[in-house]
Amino acid sequence: MADLITIENLGNLLMLCFLQAVLGFDNLLYISIESQRAPVAQQKAVRFWGIILAVALRVILLFLMVSLLGSLTEPFFIFEWDGILTGGVNFATCVFIFGGVFIMYTAVKEIGHMLSVEHLDHDVEGKSGKSAAKVVGLIVFMNLIFSFDSVLSAIAITDVFPVLAAAILISGIAMLVLADGVTAFLQKNRMYEVLGLFILLIVGVVLLGEAGVAASHATHNDDLALMVFGYPIVPMSKSTFYFAVVVLFAVEFIQSGYAKKLAAERRSTQGGGH
């Protein structure tokens, strides 16, 4: 135990905690939005158990990846359709593609639901059609999808399992503390739920981009990068992703302020007319 408490391991732990915080934002957003689909009385419990089970499975996933890193990173299929589709596919490629498509489908479906709802004030009851167990299952499943890139990044920093596990547990505690607050904010400011869904849509695109280079990065072989019709699938950088998120927030704030100003002017005009 004393061998673990070193300056190097403590430094790696701090770096991993920061990494988990940066990469965990989209995960926390998904948990906050998806938990509102459960029955109202069970939403808090859904978030709690969803995060607890997800963190436990993330530690198990970490152990498996550390143990089986070689077999998970090696491509099991290589496309050689010149001019159409080329590159390698490994386990991470499949996870990123499936997760990206699923998240984009969820976001588009919920945006469509919002557009079709007639009475937004009563929509909370309509959203609570999923069982608590189903929502917990979705949260756990998507947490594993989200955590795949963070686990791979963490292993690149250190291969000391206790340090990696400690970082995951600390990030899980942080999610437990913040989940209720984020959900309450979205419930009080429902216009930001639309913003959150568009952010999830971008997250889906990010995961699809990560799929393009998953095999090549894992094997350090650029020839295994996926190319479609001669064009490489380039992942979106984290800085670009967060810049897009900041722009979306800025647009929302400006649009909300402008809408309030227009509404106030209309009220004053109508009042003056009478």
Side-chain angles (χ1 to χ4, degrees):
M1 183 67 181
D3 295 338
L4 294 174
I5 306 176
T6 64
I7 294 178
E8 181 182 0
N9 284 342
L10 290 176
N12 287 336
L13 179 60
L14 290 175
M15 189 180 300
L16 288 170
C17 288
F18 175 76
L19 178 69
Q20 293 291 330
V22 171
L23 297 179
F25 167 76
D26 44 12
N27 192 1
L28 181 60
L29 182 64
Y30 179 84
I31 291 171
S32 298
I33 292 176
E34 187 62 34
S35 66
Q36 296 180 56
R37 290 6 174 199
V40 176
Q42 298 176 316
Q43 288 178 6
K44 185 178 178 67
V46 161
R47 288 190 292 273
F48 178 81
W49 287 110
I51 293 173
I52 290 293
L53 291 174
V55 170
L57 288 177
R58 187 183 288 195
V59 173
I60 295 173
L61 173 66
L62 173 65
F63 177 77
L64 291 175
M65 289 185 65
V66 169
S67 304
L68 306 173
L69 192 59
S71 59
L72 289 175
T73 56
E74 286 299 320
F76 55 80
F77 188 81
I78 297 178
F79 291 103
E80 296 179 343
W81 305 336
D82 291 337
I84 301 176
L85 180 62
T86 59
V89 176
N90 63 0
F91 179 71
T93 308
C94 298
V95 171
F96 286 141
I97 290 177
F98 184 81
V101 171
F102 184 83
I103 291 173
M104 293 176 69
Y105 166 76
T106 300
V108 170
K109 183 183 70 173
E110 292 300 333
I111 292 171
H113 171 73
M114 288 180 173
L115 293 175
S116 64
V117 167
E118 295 182 3
H119 302 288
L120 290 175
D121 292 337
H122 302 289
D123 187 34
V124 174
E125 296 178 5
K127 282 184 177 180
S128 304
K130 293 182 181 178
S131 68
K134 184 176 181 180
V135 175
V136 169
L138 282 172
I139 289 175
V140 171
F141 174 74
M142 290 312 303
N143 184 280
L144 291 178
I145 298 294
F146 279 121
S147 67
F148 202 81
D149 57 344
S150 64
V151 168
L152 286 175
S153 301
I155 292 175
I157 294 175
T158 179
D159 58 357
V160 181
F161 179 76
V163 175
L164 292 166
I168 290 175
L169 293 174
I170 292 172
S171 69
I173 293 172
M175 282 197 291
L176 284 173
V177 172
L178 296 174
D180 289 344
V182 172
T183 303
F185 176 82
L186 291 176
Q187 289 174 339
K188 291 179 181 178
N189 304 274
R190 295 203 56 206
M191 72 287 285
Y192 293 116
E193 188 172 357
V194 178
L195 179 64
L197 290 171
F198 273 100
I199 292 175
L200 284 182
L201 194 62
I202 298 175
V203 169
V205 175
V206 171
L207 287 178
L208 290 179
E210 293 291 341
V213 296
S216 63
H217 283 180
T219 58
H220 305 288
N221 184 354
D222 293 337
D223 293 335
L224 293 177
L226 288 175
M227 298 185 69
V228 180
F229 298 114
Y231 295 96
I233 300 176
V234 181
M236 182 187 298
S237 67
K238 292 298 179 183
S239 58
T240 302
F241 169 73
Y242 285 110
F243 176 76
V245 170
V246 169
V247 170
L248 284 176
F249 271 104
V251 170
E252 181 62 36
F253 286 139
I254 294 172
Q255 184 174 327
S256 298
Y258 187 62
K260 290 178 182 177
K261 183 179 180 181
L262 287 177
E265 289 181 356
R266 289 194 187 101
R267 285 195 298 269
S268 62
T269 302
Q270 292 172 357
H274 293 296

